[in-house]
Amino acid sequence: MYVDIDPEDYHVLHPRPVYLIVSRKGDRLNVMSASWVTPVSDDPPLVAVSIWRKSLTYEYIMESKEFTINVVNDSMVNIVYRAGTVSGREIDKFRELGLEVIPSKKIKTPGVKDVLGFLECVLEKSVMVGESDLLIARVVATHVDQNYYERYGWNLRKTSILLHAGGKAFVTTGRLVFPSKK
């Protein structure tokens, strides 16, 4: 039996992969967690990220027109949670979280060391959606840890992708499933 729930309860669409979004303004870096990230085009390669307009990340991306999306596994759950619950306006999150950078090849904003992979993104368009903007960006370079990536993407026998279920709750990927042949 189905029951009606509040249409504002977006958790019906969770769990979702959670990422670290790195942005910069000059030499200052900021990092935030985001699970509202999705590919929107193969040709050209475009991704969309929903970012709250009052956030420091939004401010930095609007100025620099670039950011990185960093794919994390479950070993980074504490970093992801903290990066999503404090503002970079109050603290230097990179320093507090002990994050190190990996230089990007095509943009100035770096990736985060020890992630599974990261995408270098250049902002193409911003669309207002409620309190946030949907930032549509071209992926100009992608880097993956070769130990965990193969033909169908991430090798889930070797690593777990961190998913956000809501609030303080996270889950991980469990297994790779293929449809039966008919």
Side-chain angles (χ1 to χ4, degrees):
M1 173 198 287
Y2 292 96
V3 297
D4 294 334
I5 64 171
D6 186 339
E8 292 181 11
D9 186 354
Y10 58 83
H11 292 106
V12 73
L13 298 174
H14 284 225
R16 299 186 46 78
V18 64
Y19 306 94
L20 290 174
I21 307 297
V22 176
S23 58
R24 69 167 182 81
K25 181 176 183 177
D27 293 333
R28 184 165 162 80
L29 296 175
N30 189 50
V31 61
M32 69 166 273
S33 308
S35 64
W36 292 10
V37 178
T38 188
V40 291
S41 172
D42 285 333
D43 187 16
L46 298 174
V47 293
V49 181
S50 180
I51 305 284
W52 184 47
R53 277 190 296 280
K54 293 183 180 179
S55 71
L56 187 62
T57 296
Y58 179 83
E59 178 184 319
Y60 282 14
I61 292 172
M62 289 296 103
E63 181 168 313
S64 70
K65 306 295 188 221
E66 62 180 46
F67 57 96
T68 61
I69 300 171
N70 297 263
V71 181
V72 298
N73 66 16
D74 56 345
S75 71
M76 298 187 84
V77 66
N78 291 327
I79 290 170
V80 166
Y81 182 72
R82 185 74 175 146
T85 56
V86 297
S87 171
R89 294 183 197 284
E90 299 165 9
I91 62 167
D92 179 342
K93 287 197 267 185
F94 258 82
R95 190 174 67 235
E96 180 179 300
L97 296 172
L99 298 176
E100 296 179 46
V101 300
I102 300 174
S104 288
K105 294 191 175 169
K106 296 195 174 185
I107 64 174
K108 292 180 181 176
T109 305
V112 175
K113 186 177 178 186
D114 297 326
V115 297
L116 295 173
F118 70 100
L119 292 78
E120 298 179 33
C121 302
V122 175
L123 184 64
E124 294 227 339
K125 185 176 185 177
S126 177
V127 179
M128 290 180 69
V129 286
E131 76 285 354
S132 300
D133 272 17
L134 190 64
L135 305 181
I136 301 169
R138 181 181 297 262
V139 178
V140 296
T142 302
H143 316 279
V144 297
D145 184 327
Q146 65 184 355
N147 295 311
Y148 302 109
Y149 199 83
E150 54 190 36
R151 179 179 177 195
Y152 293 109
W154 300 111
N155 182 329
L156 300 179
R157 291 179 190 91
K158 293 182 178 179
T159 192
S160 295
I161 304 296
L162 188 62
L163 307 171
H164 185 230
K168 291 183 179 182
F170 293 85
V171 296
T172 63
T173 51
R175 60 192 175 121
L176 188 60
V177 179
F178 292 96
S180 61
K181 295 180 183 178
K182 287 190 178 185

